[in-house]
């Protein structure tokens, strides 16, 4: 995976690399990155400059109790961990976009402004990120009535030309997405965790290959479940959509409730809730706080987009992302620092602060798109990872890859026939032939 120097610098400063990261330094949060990025801009520094020069000298004058020079230096010194992570993510068919890339969702930058994630990881059709759609959210443990409602809503959205945006979690989220995908529609899944594993799961892969699904996350693709991440990703679901429907919620509890309350306060998109006879449902309280009861008729979902705030209407009318302007015509475009006004900055009148918020974030260095990888190839690459030291049984491989045993058997037989996988007996086990060659090479036997 090729990344420009600006993207590398942004990732080193803001992304956790998990177990391979031995630095002990905590990556900058979105708010911290905004604060640091505007300082770099004001001092005519591109993030990539920090990879080439002496950090202490370049950042002379930088003072921040939380973002110390030693912390920045430790983060930038994680090149080895970054390289290992990129190699693994590339083999899984993942891609990476930073806030200054043209593929980065404009809706996030317009609506979240200072709090739009500096880096997004994804798999699937990037073009879907700009389509908007109907957000469908609700409980993981929803009853059958709510599941059916979400599926029907996803199906209706497809028939009327809308994508479904959701969290790709079991329950309501998945039901809404599959209601669209199974009827030749499109969907955006905003993951809170485990993108790397989910992207190769059997239930999603055919839709990814067909270009009907994109899965994204602002978190490390290998990160496990984290309550804080699950809560914070809710805003991205709302901000990528044009309207949102809460199918089920619990008062003052859980991610669905918190995300809905956040949307009502920020007025990102119109919020609708499924009618219910359950007096204990949080849907009643959401209506009291400003949400709308979902209409009885699903035949015209365009009504869901009505009643939006001035802010949302303005978002849809602006052609250029908040943090970017058109680049001047030239043979090459130099990358420059991403611009975000720091949340804690107090620099003059509201007019001055708005002018800073509307500053440009020039387009970063161009980089080639990752070539589409078929899932058989991804399987072979993952076999190299999981059988690098020892061969594995079919059942073990299926569990590690979260694939159906029948599918694993099919690919194993094909791999053996292609000479990509070695079959061992007593007991029957399988190992990537690339692993075998690597081990032989280590002992001086290249034949």
């Amino acid at each position: 995976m090729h990344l420009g120097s600006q993207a590398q610098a942004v990732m080193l400063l803001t992304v956790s690399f998990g177990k391979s990261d031995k630095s002990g330094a905590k990556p900058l949060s979105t708010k911290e990155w905004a604060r640091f990025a505007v300082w770099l801009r004001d001092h005519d520094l591109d993030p990539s400059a920090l990879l080439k020069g002496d950090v202490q000298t370049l950042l002379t004058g930088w003072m921040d109790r939380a973002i110390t020079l030693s912390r920045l230096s430790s983060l930038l010194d994680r090149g080895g961990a970054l390289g290992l992570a990129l190699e693994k993510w590339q083999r899984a068919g993942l891609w990476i976009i930073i806030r200054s890339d043209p593929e980065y969702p404009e809706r996030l930058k317009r609506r979240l402004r200072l709090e739009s994630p500096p880096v997004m990881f994804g798999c699937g059709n990037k073009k879907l990120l700009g389509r908007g759609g109907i957000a469908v959210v609700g409980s993981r443990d929803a009853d059958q009535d709510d599941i059916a409602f979400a599926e029907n809503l996803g199906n209706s959205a497809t028939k009327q030309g809308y994508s479904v945006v959701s969290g790709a979690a079991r329950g309501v989220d998945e039901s809404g997405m599959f209601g669209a995908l199974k009827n030749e529609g499109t969907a955006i899944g905003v993951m809170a965790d485990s993108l790397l594993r989910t992207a190769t799961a059997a239930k999603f892969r055919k839709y990814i290959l067909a270009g009907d699904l994109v899965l994204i996350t602002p978190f490390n693709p290998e990160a496990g479940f984290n309550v804080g991440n699950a809560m914070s990703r809710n805003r991205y679901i709302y901000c990528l959509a044009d309207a949102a429907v809460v199918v089920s919620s619990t008062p003052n509890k859980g991610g669905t409730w918190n995300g809905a309350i956040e949307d009502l306060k920020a007025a990102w998109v119109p919020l609708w809730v499924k009618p219910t006879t359950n007096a204990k449902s949080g849907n009643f309280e959401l209506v009291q706080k400003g949400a709308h009861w979902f209409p009885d008729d699903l035949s015209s979902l365009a009504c869901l987009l009505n009643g939006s705030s001035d802010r949302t209407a303005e978002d849809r009318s602006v052609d250029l992302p908040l943090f970017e302007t058109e680049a001047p015509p030239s043979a090459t475009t130099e990358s420059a620092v991403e611009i975000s006004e720091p949340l804690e900055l107090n620099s003059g009148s509201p007019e001055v602060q708005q002018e800073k918020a509307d500053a440009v974030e020039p387009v970063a260095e161009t980089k080639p798109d990752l070539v589409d990888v078929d899932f058989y190839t991804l399987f072979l690459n993952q076999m190299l990872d999981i059988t690098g030291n020892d061969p594995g049984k079919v059942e073990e491989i299926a569990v590690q890859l979260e694939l159906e045993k029948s599918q694993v058997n099919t690919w194993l037989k094909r791999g053996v026939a292609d000479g990509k996988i070695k079959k061992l007996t007593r007991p029957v086990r399988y190992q990537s032939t690339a692993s075998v060659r690597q081990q032989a090479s280590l002992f001086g036997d290249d034949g």
Side-chain angles (χ1 to χ4, degrees):
M1 183 183 298
H2 173 76
L3 289 180
S5 55
Q6 174 163 304
Q8 293 178 37
V10 174
M11 289 189 66
L12 287 170
L13 290 169
T14 63
V15 175
S16 168
F17 301 126
K19 295 179 180 179
S20 63
D21 182 4
K22 307 299 182 181
S23 70
K26 183 179 179 181
L28 304 185
S29 67
T30 300
K31 292 181 180 180
E32 288 177 327
W33 168 249
R35 192 157 73 242
F36 184 54
V38 77
W39 187 90
L40 291 176
R41 189 238 15 220
D42 289 345
H43 291 78
D44 297 321
L45 282 174
D46 186 294
S48 61
L50 302 177
L51 302 179
K52 305 168 186 175
D54 178 66
V55 174
Q56 301 282 338
T57 302
L58 290 170
L59 298 182
T60 300
W62 168 255
M63 296 181 64
D64 190 290
R65 285 180 295 180
I67 312 174
T68 63
L69 291 178
S70 60
R71 179 183 174 192
L72 292 171
S73 296
S74 296
L75 290 171
L76 291 167
D77 196 31
R78 301 184 299 157
L82 173 61
L84 291 173
L86 291 178
E87 182 180 359
K88 179 184 292 187
W89 299 337
Q90 178 185 24
R91 289 202 300 267
L94 304 188
W95 41 257
I96 297 167
I97 52 177
I98 64 172
R99 216 157 44 189
S100 56
D101 286 333
E103 303 97 336
Y104 191 96
E106 295 181 7
R107 282 174 172 80
L108 289 185
K109 289 191 283 191
R110 290 174 175 170
R111 292 170 177 170
L112 291 178
R113 299 194 174 198
L114 311 176
E115 298 183 6
S116 55
V119 179
M120 296 292 284
F121 304 89
C123 183
N125 188 354
K126 295 179 187 176
K127 294 180 180 179
L128 298 178
L129 297 175
R131 287 193 58 180
I134 308 297
V136 182
V137 296
S139 172
R140 293 173 180 262
D141 301 313
D143 59 32
Q144 287 304 310
D145 181 63
D146 289 338
I147 293 296
F149 179 91
E151 290 179 352
N152 194 25
L153 178 55
N155 184 18
S156 297
T158 289
K159 292 178 179 178
Q160 297 175 52
Y162 297 103
S163 287
V164 167
V165 186
S166 200
R170 65 178 172 83
V172 167
D173 290 33
E174 274 193 0
S175 298
M177 291 173 63
F178 283 121
L181 293 170
K182 291 179 180 179
N183 291 280
E184 301 183 352
T186 57
I188 302 170
V190 185
M191 307 290 300
D193 61 272
S194 309
L195 172 66
L196 183 65
R197 185 177 62 192
T198 304
T200 54
K203 61 184 175 182
F204 289 124
R205 67 171 177 268
K206 69 177 181 179
Y207 300 113
I208 292 176
L209 287 175
D212 295 333
L213 173 65
V214 60
L215 299 174
I216 60 169
T217 184
F219 312 113
N220 183 309
E222 300 173 69
F225 180 78
N226 176 281
V227 174
N229 290 351
M231 292 292 186
S232 63
R233 70 87 188 264
N234 291 319
R235 56 174 50 192
Y236 309 134
I237 296 173
Y238 284 92
C239 290
L240 285 170
D242 297 307
V245 180
V246 171
V247 178
S248 61
S249 64
T250 303
N252 303 303
K253 181 181 179 181
T256 301
W257 171 267
N258 289 331
I261 294 298
E262 191 173 15
D263 177 63
L264 288 172
K265 291 179 178 179
W268 292 315
V269 296
L271 182 64
W272 303 78
V273 296
K274 171 183 174 289
T276 178
T277 57
N278 181 3
K280 296 182 179 180
S281 170
N283 293 13
F284 284 101
E285 291 193 30
L286 289 177
V287 170
Q288 293 175 353
K289 293 179 180 297
H292 310 283
W293 288 117
F294 191 87
D296 295 331
D297 186 9
L298 283 174
S299 63
S300 180
L301 295 179
C303 68
L304 301 183
L305 279 61
N306 297 332
S308 59
S309 68
D310 291 339
R311 180 175 175 182
T312 306
E314 179 184 6
D315 287 341
R316 289 198 296 271
S317 67
V318 178
D319 292 328
L320 291 174
L322 177 67
F323 300 125
E324 296 179 6
T325 59
E326 295 175 312
S330 61
T332 58
T333 301
E334 294 295 328
S335 63
V337 62
E338 299 179 286
I339 299 303
S340 298
E341 180 188 359
L343 292 179
E344 300 177 13
L345 187 64
N346 182 11
S347 54
S349 67
E351 290 78 10
V352 172
Q353 294 191 19
Q354 181 61 44
E355 183 177 347
K356 281 197 171 187
D358 292 335
V360 301
E361 180 179 306
V363 178
E365 300 172 49
T366 58
K367 53 182 179 289
D369 286 335
L370 196 63
V371 177
D372 288 336
V373 183
D374 67 82
F375 277 93
Y376 171 62
T377 302
L378 297 183
F379 172 77
L380 294 177
N381 287 331
Q382 291 191 329
M383 279 292 293
L384 175 59
D385 285 338
I386 65 177
T387 65
N389 296 319
D390 299 295
K393 297 180 180 179
V394 176
E395 295 80 4
E396 297 169 343
I397 296 170
V399 169
Q400 290 194 57
L401 298 183
E402 291 195 343
L403 293 173
E404 298 173 4
K405 184 179 176 181
S406 59
Q407 179 64 76
V408 171
N409 269 319
T410 298
W411 279 336
L412 287 173
K413 290 179 181 178
R414 180 178 171 185
V416 171
D418 293 345
K420 304 292 186 181
I421 293 175
K422 181 178 180 180
K423 182 178 180 180
L424 306 174
T425 57
R426 297 183 182 179
V428 175
R429 293 160 297 154
Y430 296 88
Q431 186 172 26
S432 167
T433 54
S435 302
V436 178
R437 287 195 297 271
Q438 285 180 0
Q439 292 173 10
S441 178
L442 288 174
F443 290 97
D445 181 6
D446 296 324

